[in-house]
Amino acid sequence: MYNPMMIIDGRPVLASDGSVHKILNPATGELVGEVPSGGRQEAHQALTAASRAFPAWAATSPGKRADVLHQAASLVRELADEMAVMLTLEIGKPLRASRREVLGSADVLDYFAEEGKRAFGEWTISGAGKSRSLVIRQPIGVAALISPWNYPVDLLSWKVGAALAAGCTAVAKPSSMAPIAASAFIEAINRAGAPPGVINLVLGPGSTAGAELVESPLSQKISFTGESATGRWIMAAAAPRLKRLSLELGGSAPFIVCADADVKSAAEACVQRAFNNAGQICISVNRVYLHHDVEEEFMELAIQRAGRLRVGSGMEDVDLGPLASEEQRKRTREHIEDALSRGARLRLGGSEPEGEQYSRGHFFLPTILDRVDHSMRVMREETFGPVMPVMTFKNLEEAVRLANQTEYGLAAYAYTNSLDAAVYLAERLESGGVGINSNNVVDLQAPFGGWKQSGFGRELSHHGLEGYLELKHVKIGL
């Protein structure tokens, strides 16, 4: 059983009132561990520690900050197998996916370690030549980093790596649903030589610990990944102090398959992106739009591929683990039932798998629906479950109109062998990331973030680093 503690000012800390939160395995219902459940007091202590540590860390050279991050990346790689087991037990994803996530988080630390060395300034000469303008970048201050449960280590690394490389100190608050592997990740950074208070860890509910991180005058930057409703609350709560925000919120990614596409490749990519992590990904395929000429071929290939996916405990050799909670499974079931009641056709799945091995977990079969339309919840809301709804279109204009008919704009995908169509779609899809003949819009060296109700601000790349830096103009008279 795993029993991590909070880390405040470099020391392990329990909740002041002794409160703990139990973590259950979503595949079996068995107890995985207990973590302290902190609140406003612990969050305030962590912010205070980060504030004390900020001047010295901000003054530390980018090279020395990089040394800490590189060492942390090495420790995370050494712990990858152990952390992957933690991650699978607490959130359910297949073990190989958990290990890939942990190793990816180490790559993020290495990337930002080097990117922090390249936060250059600017030097210009005035028109009259009698002054010089120096533009420099300096760390904002204390950053509150609030991460989600679906990729609890990877998405936390995006925030921590950028914040520390920029010279900010930070308080990390992982989701209460998946705090164990994330705690091991923060502990590794402290073991790597981060000075006390530079990176703190608070565990507890968003309504108390999270609220203190957002509302406190000690935090200057809030980075949050999660639901749009919570993002709107954070924006309102941070407004009185005009805090810098990065919000990566909900998604409803369209997947467009044109008449000239490589249908086999498109079907394979669509199934992978729709059902990876049981559909619990912010950039998962939520809505599939097929040109009517390829509908029959695509559906046959997709149903065959999805039908071969293995469902079971993440500790076994499977493709889909359980959903993270019964709430997620209930939402998935409700979206399917709503669609069927409005005329959709069930082509695959649609229920929990049968058998004793599934009786105690939150399992659900990969599900494919067709004959859907935008009156159905599955096409308007983010399911965050293993459901792939499909409808058809006649031309590119209609495809774009349907794809953009959502309040979200995080990711979009399109498959075509026409350069004209690729450019047309890339420029017109209202999304922070567009994959053309690719089912992934994440790249360490490219910005990641959303349009519309999917939030604002960017993570990864030098743009992610710049989110933790302030610009200062220094004018020098000669």
Side-chain angles (χ1 to χ4, degrees), residues 135-295:
V135 179
I136 60 176
R137 292 176 170 85
Q138 294 182 297
I140 290 175
V142 175
L145 312 176
I146 305 173
S147 56
W149 53 263
N150 59 331
Y151 280 83
V153 178
D154 193 31
L155 296 182
L156 181 58
S157 74
W158 294 11
K159 303 176 188 299
V160 171
L164 298 193
C168 293
T169 54
V171 180
K173 197 199 86 65
S175 166
S176 296
M177 287 177 60
I180 296 175
S183 297
F185 176 77
I186 298 300
E187 182 181 357
I189 301 175
N190 276 279
R191 285 174 52 197
V198 166
I199 178 65
N200 305 273
L201 172 71
V202 171
L203 304 173
S207 59
T208 54
E212 180 65 22
L213 295 181
V214 172
E215 296 170 344
S216 170
L218 296 177
S219 58
Q220 283 79 48
K221 164 72 185 268
I222 313 294
S223 179
F224 169 78
T225 300
E227 294 182 342
S228 294
T230 305
R232 285 190 285 270
W233 177 86
I234 289 174
M235 191 171 179
R241 298 187 183 276
L242 299 178
K243 295 186 181 185
R244 288 274 292 277
L245 298 177
S246 294
L247 303 176
E248 193 263 276
L249 308 176
S252 182
F255 192 103
I256 298 170
V257 184
C258 298
D260 62 355
D262 180 335
V263 179
K264 183 178 180 181
S265 294
E268 178 74 22
C270 187
V271 167
Q272 194 276 335
R273 181 52 65 200
F275 299 121
N276 188 28
N277 201 30
Q280 300 170 121
I281 308 177
C282 54
I283 58 170
S284 180
V285 170
N286 300 103
R287 299 171 290 138
V288 181
Y289 300 103
L290 307 177
H291 190 277
H292 60 81
D293 287 348
V294 302
E295 178 186 13

Side-chain angles (χ1 to χ4, degrees), residues 249-449:
L249 308 176
S252 182
F255 192 103
I256 298 170
V257 184
C258 298
D260 62 355
D262 180 335
V263 179
K264 183 178 180 181
S265 294
E268 178 74 22
C270 187
V271 167
Q272 194 276 335
R273 181 52 65 200
F275 299 121
N276 188 28
N277 201 30
Q280 300 170 121
I281 308 177
C282 54
I283 58 170
S284 180
V285 170
N286 300 103
R287 299 171 290 138
V288 181
Y289 300 103
L290 307 177
H291 190 277
H292 60 81
D293 287 348
V294 302
E295 178 186 13
E296 185 176 338
E297 180 184 3
F298 179 95
M299 291 299 291
E300 181 180 351
L301 290 167
I303 291 168
Q304 288 177 359
R305 179 69 185 92
R308 294 194 296 269
L309 295 174
R310 299 158 298 176
V311 179
S313 166
M315 296 301 292
E316 302 169 359
D317 185 20
V318 299
D319 301 298
L320 275 74
L323 292 168
S325 67
E326 185 57 31
E327 179 184 357
Q328 291 301 123
R329 185 163 69 168
K330 179 174 180 288
R331 181 181 179 89
T332 299
R333 193 183 300 116
E334 289 175 348
H335 278 199
I336 294 169
E337 291 172 352
D338 172 77
L340 294 176
S341 72
R342 295 173 183 272
R345 179 171 61 169
L346 180 65
R347 302 297 303 274
L348 183 73
S351 64
E352 295 87 350
E354 298 178 354
E356 176 62 28
Q357 68 269 35
Y358 303 113
S359 61
R360 294 183 296 161
H362 312 304
F363 296 99
F364 206 90
L365 291 171
T367 299
I368 297 178
L369 303 168
D370 65 3
R371 298 179 183 174
V372 301
D373 60 51
H374 282 204
S375 71
M376 302 170 185
R377 291 180 62 191
V378 74
M379 297 295 279
R380 293 183 287 107
E381 302 174 10
E382 187 176 28
T383 304
F384 234 59
V387 183
M388 193 178 102
V390 181
M391 64 185 296
T392 61
F393 65 89
K394 296 179 181 179
N395 52 53
L396 287 182
E397 291 78 7
E398 183 184 16
V400 169
R401 177 178 60 79
L402 291 169
N404 288 340
Q405 205 172 88
T406 174
E407 64 180 3
Y408 299 111
L410 186 59
Y413 311 99
Y415 273 66
T416 176
N417 282 325
S418 164
L419 180 59
D420 286 350
V423 172
Y424 181 91
L425 291 164
E427 292 181 348
R428 286 166 176 78
L429 289 170
E430 296 171 352
S431 176
V434 178
I436 300 294
N437 296 328
S438 172
N439 68 351
N440 193 3
V441 295
V442 177
D443 189 308
L444 263 174
Q445 300 180 79
F448 180 87

Side-chain angles (χ1 to χ4, degrees), residues 13-26:
V13 174
L14 296 172
S16 58
D17 62 359
S19 297
V20 296
H21 177 65
K22 297 181 184 296
I23 307 299
L24 305 180
N25 185 336

Side-chain angles (χ1 to χ4, degrees), residues 74-84 86 102 184 188 191:
S74 296
L75 286 174
V76 169
R77 291 189 181 97
E78 290 175 13
L79 296 167
D81 290 340
E82 181 181 350
M83 289 177 63
M86 297 177 189
V102 173
R191 285 174 52 197

Side-chain angles (χ1 to χ4, degrees), residues 246 431-432 447-451 455-461 463-465 467-468:
S246 294
S431 176
F448 180 87
W451 288 18
F456 53 82
R458 292 296 182 266
E459 295 189 295
L460 300 180
S461 79
H463 299 282
L465 184 77
Y468 294 88

